[in-house]
Amino acid sequence: MPGSGLWRTKSIEQSIADTDEPDTKLRRNLSAWDLTVFGVAVVIGAGIFTLTARTAGDFTGPSVSLAFVFAAIACALAALCYAEFASTIPVAGSAYTFSYATFGEFMAWIIGWDLILEFAVAAAAVSKGWSTYLETVLGYIFGPGTKTSFEVAGITVDWGSLLLVLLLATLLVKGTKLSSRFSMVITGIKVAIVLFVIVLGIFYIKGSNYTPFIPDPQSGSGSSGGSGVDQSLFSFLAGGSGSSFGVFGLLAGASLVFFAFIGFDIVATTAEETKNPQKSVPRGIFGSLAIVTVLYVGVSLVVVGMVSYKDLATSAGGGGKKTLATAFSENGVDWAANVISVGALAGLTTVVMVLMLGQVRVLYAMSRDGLMPRQLAKTSKAGTPKRATLLVAGIVAFAATFFPADKLEEMVNVGTLFAFVLVSAGVLVLRRTHPNLPRAFRVPLVPLIPILAILACLWLMLNLTVLTWVRFIVWMVAGVVIYFVYSRRHSLLGKRMAAGEIVAAEGTVLTEQKAPPKDDAEG
């Protein structure tokens, strides 16, 4: 029957009704400004200081700003689709919840499993980066040789990462509003430092460094862009010899810098905790995306204007990844590296916090539906899913403390792009299946915009490496096994349908959405 088995869908009314369960109820106290801060907090991180220089030196040359623009356009198209869904279904879980209402339980599980990979790997990787910058800053205070790690029985223990995760987990358990206030202060500091770096760098720009804007392509032999499984899938399929410079390099660069934009979708995971989600969530998504795009393009134009892109290559100057500090040191402004380190430390603090927040909300939504253990969905007196938060913190802390988690950026990219594709396609499905559903925000030019979003994200996915695709497929296969072994049998929707309590979403008559209870809306 329609809606049964793998493809049973959860009605929007049921999703909204579940938000009122006393034991799993979240507190509504976030505003559009809070959401914008969360978006900027998670997107502006160390990537603005490191990813820009490395991408210019190894892949795009001076055209790195175009790579950011291409990635931003893909994000903007997907953001329109996220905004419609989040304003229509203001429930925690983001793409997972949206997929449950459109594609069914199996696809919802797949996207939830995918998001767990995205947020967990990103949080662990960024925690490692935070520890590295903490070591640098402590070196300024206590002198060179200060370490944020130590050896125990041949195992490197990164206490810096552990300290950060424990601190942020405490904030998240105490309440989302408190986390937002903390994030607001730190985000203000890091944005001020980014603006300072841009203004200072303008005085050292040389016009000749922008030529050639798109350098001629290099062969895979000896190029940083790589060949074989390390070159982009599109370059491999098109018979290209590598992904360094030229058109292939620019496209590969766009896929790589897409990592810098990851996080705006987390705004949608907090819809259930927002006072007026129908208006606040779209504003938070678009506001944060606009701010970070301007900052990224500004920094990218400055860094390639200050030095030749050749000096930013990984193979230049004794090897090693080049950063924005490299551009300043080449111009004799070594003290700027200290400012950049402080900015990166502040930036990464909020990135990790919001990534953990996003993963907790996805895990919470899956647990409330029974696809993960239901106990994880219980909320505390502070109105936060304390058990899910502690579990996520434990996993991220363990990975960041004991494992080198800083080589999986592209794994995060492919997972996020996959989520964007499903959300964009979901808008088309929901417009067809429920055309009269109240929508506070509507994607313009449907079906054109969702189709363009799908194509843009698929295009970026094709420009990720072959090895990244192999790892992604392995993770997805593991998720399928877990679904059939555990999640399908424990699905709350499946149990309700078996008991005759509800029918599939296709059989429900959707009425006007319930507004959040007044006392919750007032926080």
Side-chain angles (χ1 to χ4, degrees), residues 252-490:
S255 294
L256 183 61
V257 300
F258 181 81
F259 178 77
F261 287 95
I262 285 177
F264 80 85
D265 55 317
I266 292 179
V267 173
T269 70
T270 62
E272 194 173 325
E273 298 164 87
T274 305
K275 297 176 184 177
N276 186 0
Q278 286 77 12
K279 293 182 179 180
S280 296
V281 174
R283 290 173 182 172
I285 290 175
F286 297 131
S288 59
L289 189 57
I291 292 171
V292 301
T293 299
V294 170
L295 293 177
Y296 274 132
V297 171
V299 168
S300 62
L301 287 172
V302 166
V303 68
V304 295
M306 292 178 68
V307 296
S308 169
Y309 72 92
K310 296 178 182 178
D311 295 329
L312 298 173
T314 302
S315 57
K321 293 181 180 180
K322 303 303 185 292
T323 67
L324 186 56
T326 305
F328 281 97
S329 62
E330 289 288 328
N331 285 274
V333 195
D334 293 316
W335 61 266
N338 300 351
V339 177
I340 291 172
S341 296
V342 174
L345 187 67
L348 292 182
T349 303
T350 54
V351 172
V352 177
M353 185 185 73
V354 183
L355 284 170
M356 288 174 60
L357 172 67
Q359 184 177 4
V360 169
R361 294 311 180 264
V362 172
L363 180 60
Y364 160 83
M366 297 175 74
S367 301
R368 186 166 60 186
D369 290 331
L371 302 186
M372 288 287 192
R374 284 270 295 171
Q375 294 84 349
L376 295 175
K378 289 189 178 295
T379 52
S380 64
K381 293 181 180 179
T384 60
K386 181 177 180 180
R387 295 177 181 178
T389 302
L390 295 177
L391 176 62
V392 167
I395 293 172
V396 173
F398 182 77
T401 303
F402 298 104
F403 295 98
D406 56 349
K407 297 181 179 180
L408 299 175
E409 290 177 357
E410 287 198 5
M411 280 286 285
V412 182
N413 283 7
V414 70
T416 304
L417 286 166
F418 181 58
F420 286 2
V421 168
L422 284 185
V423 170
S424 301
V427 168
L428 298 176
V429 173
L430 204 61
R431 286 287 186 97
R432 181 179 61 83
T433 57
H434 302 305
N436 298 321
L437 186 68
R439 291 171 170 84
F441 177 87
R442 298 177 68 91
V443 177
L445 301 176
V446 173
L448 178 61
I449 295 298
I451 290 175
L452 287 177
I454 293 170
L455 293 176
C457 292
L458 288 176
W459 180 259
L460 290 175
M461 291 175 78
L462 281 175
N463 283 282
L464 294 171
T465 66
V466 178
L467 185 57
T468 296
W469 276 91
V470 172
R471 291 169 174 166
F472 178 65
I473 291 172
V474 170
W475 176 261
M476 287 295 105
V477 170
V480 171
V481 172
I482 294 175
Y483 173 77
F484 283 103
V485 171
Y486 177 87
S487 302
R488 190 182 186 192
R489 295 188 296 110
H490 291 81

Side-chain angles (χ1 to χ4, degrees), residues 67-79:
F68 276 107
V69 171
F70 290 161
I73 291 173
C75 285
L77 293 171

